[in-house]
Amino acid sequence: MTDIFDKIATVIEQRKNQEPNSSYVAELYHKGTDEILKKVGEEAIETIIAAKSNNSEALIHETADLWFHTLV
């Protein structure tokens, strides 16, 4: 599992300084820390809602989104 996170972190690092219109990661970094933290908060709420719904597929999807935005 660590290898996956390392690969994602490498891609995030490569993309964060690109032009904002060329990469979602670059767009988030361009908007700043507050926007990144807002996305982490949104994904956390969506993860909680998915967990309450007892829908494991939705929970997996939302957890992946939360992890991704947390890595950003």
Side-chain angles (χ1 to χ4, degrees):
M1 188 86 140
T2 303
D3 290 343
I4 294 169
F5 285 117
D6 288 342
K7 289 177 184 177
I8 294 169
T10 298
V11 172
I12 289 170
E13 190 64 31
Q14 291 170 347
R15 292 184 183 177
K16 73 180 188 180
N17 293 317
Q18 294 179 353
E19 290 297 317
N21 61 351
S22 69
S23 164
Y24 177 66
V25 171
E27 180 182 344
L28 285 174
Y29 271 93
H30 179 75
K31 290 180 178 179
T33 303
D34 286 347
E35 185 65 24
I36 294 169
L37 294 173
K38 180 180 169 186
K39 287 301 297 179
V40 170
E42 289 172 8
E43 297 304 337
I45 291 167
E46 291 173 2
T47 301
I48 292 167
I49 292 168
K52 288 187 63 142
S53 73
N54 292 321
N55 180 336
S56 60
E57 191 171 318
L59 180 57
I60 291 167
H61 175 82
E62 296 303 340
T63 300
D65 281 349
L66 176 58
W67 286 352
F68 171 77
H69 286 91
T70 300
L71 287 169
V72 169

